[in-house]
Amino acid sequence: NPNISEESEYRTRVIEQKRLIAEMNASSEKENEILIMEGDYEPKQFFHRIKGLEGEKEGGARCTPCFELRLFETARIAAEGGYDFFTTTLSISPLKNAVLLNEIASRASDLYQVSHLPSDFKKKNGYKRSVELSKEHELYRQDYCGCIFSKMQREEQLPREETIEENT
């Protein structure tokens, strides 16, 4: 995802994803092998798309063009690759609007003529389960979405949270 800043964070996430997929593939049948297709790291696309929305909070107006950027690209790749469906794991986050994600993915589905599998992975304790699985597989978990703006927002919150914890 080209919104992820800095590049070292992007690389860390790619390495972790590849590690998990290799782990999963090692314990599955060959016909169930999971493939990873790393996209191009092009943060300039993201910054161009969100120009003027830099001050928005995570979950605000800045997220929509980011979602569009990724979901339309995912749909394009799914269509070109002849895949039956595409979806996104973004709906696992309590900070992400699954309705909005599914609406954008539906438009991408229509444009590229590839089916979208609607999701809201946070339902039925999905987020909680993702945390459990992350611990089980010893996965790196970041505490912000990925863009530099969500990172700055998180860093602003940390001193307040640490102060609250110290006073309790």
Side-chain angles (χ1 to χ4, degrees), residues 52-101:
L53 301 172
E54 297 87 347
E56 292 285 326
K57 296 290 184 200
E58 185 170 347
R62 182 184 62 243
C63 295
T64 300
C66 179
F67 296 160
E68 290 170 341
L69 183 64
R70 295 321 310 148
L71 289 168
F72 275 79
E73 179 68 4
T74 301
R76 183 188 67 76
I77 290 170
E80 287 178 1
Y83 295 98
D84 295 327
F85 295 94
F86 75 99
T87 193
T88 179
T89 59
L90 286 172
S91 71
I92 196 82
S93 170
L95 301 174
K96 300 294 180 274
N97 180 334
V99 172
L100 176 61
L101 286 163

Side-chain angles (χ1 to χ4, degrees), residues 3 26 49 57 61 82 88 95 97 100-101 105 111 118 124-125 128 134:
N3 76 323
R49 293 288 301 271
K57 296 290 184 200
T88 179
L95 301 174
N97 180 334
L100 176 61
L101 286 163
L111 178 65
K124 298 181 182 178
N125 288 319
K128 180 183 175 200
S134 293

Side-chain angles (χ1 to χ4, degrees), residues 1 6 11 22 32 48 55-56 64 70 83-84 89 104 109 118 123 134 141 143 148 155 157 168:
N1 193 340
E6 290 87 27
R11 295 286 163 217
N32 294 325
H48 175 74
E56 292 285 326
T64 300
R70 295 321 310 148
Y83 295 98
D84 295 327
T89 59
I104 293 168
S109 172
K123 287 186 174 181
S134 293
R141 281 185 74 93
D143 61 359
I148 193 68
E155 287 172 350
Q157 292 170 341
T168 57

Side-chain angles (χ1 to χ4, degrees), residues 22-34:
E23 182 181 314
M24 295 174 77
N25 283 341
S27 64
S28 70
E29 305 288 325
K30 184 70 173 164
E31 66 270 2
N32 294 325
E33 186 175 75
I34 301 167

